C-alpha cells in the first residue's frame, strides 16, 4: 500500500506556479495520478482549466512532455503518440526494454461532450493509453456553461435558474458506463477524497495493456459555489451519498470499490453548493425528489451489475 | 527583468524550460487568510501536502516543516483537513499588501 510520505518523496511532474483557482481540485487529482507510474510519461491535454492554467505564456507547470491539443482531440493526439512509439520501437529506434506511458486528459467539457468522438475511436482501436477525465461538472474555464456532466438542477450560465427554470433540466450523462460499453480492459470512477483508491486505480490503468479510462470527480469551488476550504468534505459526501460512486470495470466485470456504511441523503451534497441554492424554493421541490430517486436507481443498478 | 514576448518563442511553440512556472508566485494573490504551521502538534500524516492545490507545503527530510508562502493562495484546505488532535495548521487573517516581485 502506498504511503503519502513516500509519494511526497517523488518528483512533482506538475509543479507550483500554475494558475488554478483557490481550492481547485485538479492539482489534487494529478498529484496522485502522476505518481502512479515511475515510467517516463507523455501527456496530451485538451483545452480546459488544466491546460489553460498550467501553460500561461511563456511558462509551463509541466515537468514531463506535454502536448496541448484542441478541445476535441486529446485522445487522438495521445493515440498518435502511442502509435509512433510502437513504430519506433519496431524499427529499433527506441530500445526494446524502454517503457513510456501515455496519458490523455481533459475536463468534462472536453470529454463528455466535445472530445467524445475522438475518445471513443481511441478506445475502440485499442491504443495502450490512459485517459483521465477530471469531471468538475461544467465548462469551468469559460465561465461555467452547462456540460452533459452538469447535474440536474444545477444553475449554470447556459442553464440559469430563474422564474422559468430550476436550472439544468436533464440528468447527467453516464460517461463511465459509456466507456465501459467499449469493452476496454479497464474503466474506473474515482474521487480525490479517497486518494488511496484513486492511486490504485491510476496504477492499474497505467499497468494494464490497452486502453484504460478514469473518470475522476473534480472539486470546483468557482462553479459549484461553496466555501473552498470545505472541498474535501464535500467530495466525501459525494461518495457517501452515492452521487459519485467509486467503482471499476475490469475486463467487463463491475466491482463497487466502496459502499458507504450509511448512505447519506443527497441533500447533504446539495446544501453547501450555491449552484443548487434555488432548489429549496417550494416550486423546485420536485427536482430534489427526482435527484434522490435517480441516484438511488443508479446505485441499485450499479450493485446489480457488480453482483453479476 | 526583460519582458518575454512572442518573438522569444521557439518555433512550434515548444517550451523546453520544463516547470518554469515556479517563477509565478501564486502567493501574491492569497485570499487574505494564511495558514500557520504549528510543528509541535503535527503528526506527519501528510494530508496537508496531499490536499494543497498549489504545492505550498514544505517537506524536508520526509517531514512536513511548514508553508511556502510564495505559492500558498490561502484556500484553507490544509487547515480544514488537518486531523491532529490540536490542529497543526490554523488559518489566520493577513493584511493584504502589494506584493514585491511576482510574475514578470
Amino acid at each position: 500500500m502506498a504511503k503519502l510520505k513516500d509519494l511526497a518523496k517523488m518528483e512533482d511532474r506538475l509543479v507550483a506556479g500554475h494558475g488554478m483557482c483557490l481550492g481547485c481540485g485538479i492539482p489534487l487529482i494529478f498529484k496522485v495520478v502522476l505518481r502512479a507510474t515511475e515510467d517516463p510519461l507523455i501527456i496530451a491535454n485538451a483545452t480546459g482549466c488544466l491546460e489553460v492554467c498550467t501553460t500561461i505564456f511563456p511558462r509551463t507547470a509541466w515537468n514531463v512532455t506535454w502536448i496541448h491539443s484542441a478541445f476535441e482531440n486529446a485522445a487522438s493526439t495521445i493515440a498518435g503518440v502511442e502509435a509512433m512509439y510502437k513504430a519506433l520501437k519496431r524499427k529499433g529506434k527506441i530500445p526494446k526494454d524502454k517503457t513510456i506511458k501515455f496519458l490523455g486528459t481533459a475536463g468534462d467539457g472536453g470529454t463528455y461532450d466535445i472530445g467524445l468522438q475522438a475518445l471513443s475511436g481511441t478506445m475502440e482501436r485499442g491504443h495502450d493509453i490512459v485517459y483521465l477525465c477530471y469531471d468538475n461538472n461544467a465548462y469551468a474555464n469559460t465561465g461555467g456553461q452547462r456540460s452533459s456532466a452538469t447535474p440536474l438542477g444545477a444553475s449554470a450560465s447556459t442553464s440559469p435558474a430563474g422564474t422559468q427554470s430550476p436550472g439544468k433540466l436533464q440528468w447527467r450523462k453516464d460517461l463511465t458506463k459509456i466507456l465501459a460499453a467499449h469493452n476496454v480492459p479497464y474503466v474506473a470512477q474515482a474521487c480525490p477524497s479517497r486518494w488511496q483508491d484513486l492511486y490504485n486505480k491510476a496504477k492499474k490503468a497505467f499497468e494494464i495493456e490497452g486502453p484504460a479510462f478514469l473518470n475522476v470527480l473534480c472539486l470546483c469551488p468557482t462553479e459549484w459555489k461553496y466555501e473552498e476550504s470545505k472541498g474535501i468534505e464535500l467530495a466525501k459526501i459525494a461518495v457517501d451519498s452515492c452521487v459519485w460512486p467509486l467503482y471499476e470495470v475490469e475486463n467487463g466485470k463491475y466491482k463497487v470499490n466502496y459502499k458507504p456504511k450509511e448512505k447519506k441523503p443527497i441533500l447533504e451534497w446539495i446544501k453547501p453548493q450555491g449552484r443548487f441554492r434555488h432548489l429549496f424554493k417550494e416550486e423546485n421541490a420536485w427536482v430534489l425528489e427526482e435527484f434522490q430517486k435517480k441516484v438511488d436507481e443508479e446505485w441499485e443498478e450499479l450493485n446489480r451489475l457488480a453482483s453479476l | 527583468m526583460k519582458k518575454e514576448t512572442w518573438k522569444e518563442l521557439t518555433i512550434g511553440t515548444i517550451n523546453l524550460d520544463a516547470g518554469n512556472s515556479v517563477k509565478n508566485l501564486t502567493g501574491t494573490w492569497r485570499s487574505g487568510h494564511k495558514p500557520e504551521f504549528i510543528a509541535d502538534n503535527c503528526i506527519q500524516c501528510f494530508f496537508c501536502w496531499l490536499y494543497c492545490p498549489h504545492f505550498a507545503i514544505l517537506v524536508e527530510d520526509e517531514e512536513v516543516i511548514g508553508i511556502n508562502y510564495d505559492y500558498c493562495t490561502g484556500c484553507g484546505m490544509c487547515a480544514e483537513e488537518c486531523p491532529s488532535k490540536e490542529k497543526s495548521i490554523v488559518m489566520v487573517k493577513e493584511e493584504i499588501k502589494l506584493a514585491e516581485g511576482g510574475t514578470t
Side-chain angles (χ1 to χ4, degrees), chain A residues 4-9 12 14-25 27-28 31-32 35 54 56-64 192-195 219 227-233 236, chain B residues 1 4-7 9 15 17-26 29-31 44-56 59 62-63 71 73-77 80-81 102-104:
Chain A
L4 283 179
K5 197 175 262 194
D6 296 328
L7 294 190
K9 267 191 278 188
D12 276 314
L14 174 67
V15 301
H18 63 73
M20 282 176 263
C21 302
L22 270 78
C24 176
L28 310 183
K31 193 182 287 185
V32 174
R35 283 174 161 81
T54 53
I56 302 165
F57 174 80
R59 305 228 162 104
T60 173
W62 294 97
N63 241 345
V64 288
S193 64
R194 296 191 78 84
W195 69 270
L219 295 163
E227 200 186 318
E228 59 267 352
S229 64
K230 310 279 188 208
I232 297 302
E233 203 46 50
K236 284 177 190 163
Chain B
M1 197 195 275
E4 295 150 72
T5 71
W6 63 271
K7 286 174 192 159
L9 266 187
N15 188 345
D17 196 3
N20 64 352
S21 70
V22 291
K23 292 176 198 163
N24 303 333
L25 304 184
T26 51
W29 39 274
R30 194 159 42 248
S31 63
Q44 298 297 336
C45 69
F46 278 69
F47 279 178
C48 54
W49 171 84
L50 177 67
Y51 293 130
C52 172
H54 288 85
F55 305 86
V59 177
E62 299 184 32
E63 283 198 359
Y71 301 116
T73 57
C75 70
M77 274 207 278
E80 190 69 32
E81 293 306 315
T103 55
T104 53

Side-chain angles (χ1 to χ4, degrees), chain A residues 2-57:
Chain A
K3 287 201 181 89
L4 283 179
K5 197 175 262 194
D6 296 328
L7 294 190
K9 267 191 278 188
M10 295 174 75
E11 195 191 11
D12 276 314
R13 289 174 154 182
L14 174 67
V15 301
H18 63 73
M20 282 176 263
C21 302
L22 270 78
C24 176
I26 303 174
L28 310 183
I29 296 170
F30 281 83
K31 193 182 287 185
V32 174
V33 170
L34 299 179
R35 283 174 161 81
T37 175
E38 289 185 41
D39 291 324
L41 187 63
I42 298 177
I43 300 175
N45 189 181
T47 295
C49 289
L50 177 66
E51 169 266 326
V52 166
C53 297
T54 53
T55 51
I56 302 165
F57 174 80

Side-chain angles (χ1 to χ4, degrees), chain A residues 3-300:
Chain A
K3 287 201 181 89
L4 283 179
K5 197 175 262 194
D6 296 328
L7 294 190
K9 267 191 278 188
M10 295 174 75
E11 195 191 11
D12 276 314
R13 289 174 154 182
L14 174 67
V15 301
H18 63 73
M20 282 176 263
C21 302
L22 270 78
C24 176
I26 303 174
L28 310 183
I29 296 170
F30 281 83
K31 193 182 287 185
V32 174
V33 170
L34 299 179
R35 283 174 161 81
T37 175
E38 289 185 41
D39 291 324
L41 187 63
I42 298 177
I43 300 175
N45 189 181
T47 295
C49 289
L50 177 66
E51 169 266 326
V52 166
C53 297
T54 53
T55 51
I56 302 165
F57 174 80
R59 305 228 162 104
T60 173
W62 294 97
N63 241 345
V64 288
T65 305
W66 179 94
I67 308 164
H68 171 218
S69 56
F71 223 143
E72 67 277 16
N73 61 353
S76 307
T77 303
I78 205 65
V81 178
E82 185 261 2
M84 183 179 71
Y85 161 77
K86 274 193 182 150
L88 290 174
K89 239 183 166 175
R90 207 164 45 232
K91 290 177 185 165
K93 290 187 179 168
I94 292 176
K96 275 207 164 57
D97 55 351
K98 190 174 169 76
T99 312
I100 302 175
K101 301 285 188 204
F102 304 94
L103 175 69
T105 186
D108 51 296
T111 307
Y112 282 68
D113 297 346
I114 306 177
L116 186 56
Q117 180 183 334
L119 175 60
S120 177
T122 299
M123 290 286 148
E124 188 269 332
R125 290 190 302 272
H127 292 276
D128 189 10
I129 59 123
V130 178
Y131 188 98
L132 186 151
C133 170
Y134 57 94
D135 178 356
N136 57 13
N137 296 181
Y139 287 85
N141 167 46
T142 49
Q145 290 81 9
R146 56 87 91 189
S147 76
S148 55
T150 305
L152 173 74
S155 186
S157 70
T158 45
S159 65
T163 52
Q164 302 300 312
S165 166
K168 190 181 161 184
L169 292 165
Q170 297 80 10
W171 188 244
R172 48 183 283 128
K173 189 192 275 179
D174 193 344
L175 184 70
T176 313
K177 287 239 184 73
I178 295 175
L179 268 296
H182 283 69
N183 297 317
V184 290
Y186 192 65
V187 171
Q189 205 163 271
C191 180
S193 64
R194 296 191 78 84
W195 69 270
Q196 187 81 54
D197 177 74
L198 173 62
Y199 176 83
N200 292 343
K201 284 172 176 166
K203 201 166 163 58
K204 213 183 249 187
F206 281 122
E207 277 168 7
I208 277 172
E209 208 176 308
F213 175 79
L214 300 172
N215 200 3
V216 189
L217 184 70
C218 182
L219 295 163
C220 182
T222 308
E223 296 308 335
W224 300 5
K225 300 179 175 61
Y226 63 89
E227 200 186 318
E228 59 267 352
S229 64
K230 310 279 188 208
I232 297 302
E233 203 46 50
L234 196 56
K236 284 177 190 163
I237 298 171
V239 175
D240 282 333
S241 61
C242 301
V243 165
W244 191 262
L246 306 182
Y247 68 98
E248 61 189 350
V249 190
E250 200 174 339
N251 297 315
K253 172 80 187 136
Y254 277 75
K255 184 182 172 190
V256 179
N257 305 103
Y258 172 77
K259 286 186 187 177
K261 280 194 195 86
E262 212 176 309
K263 192 160 157 258
K264 288 191 169 160
I266 55 123
L267 278 182
E268 286 191 38
W269 160 251
I270 297 232
K271 250 185 201 154
Q273 302 183 55
R275 61 175 171 162
F276 294 123
R277 196 177 43 203
H278 54 280
L279 295 184
F280 294 97
K281 285 185 190 157
E282 214 183 326
E283 66 267 29
N284 293 334
W286 67 271
V287 181
L288 292 173
E289 258 170 56
E290 180 71 15
F291 202 114
Q292 183 69 62
K293 199 177 124 222
K294 282 279 202 187
V295 166
D296 292 345
E297 278 173 13
E298 286 192 350
W299 177 240
E300 207 174 296

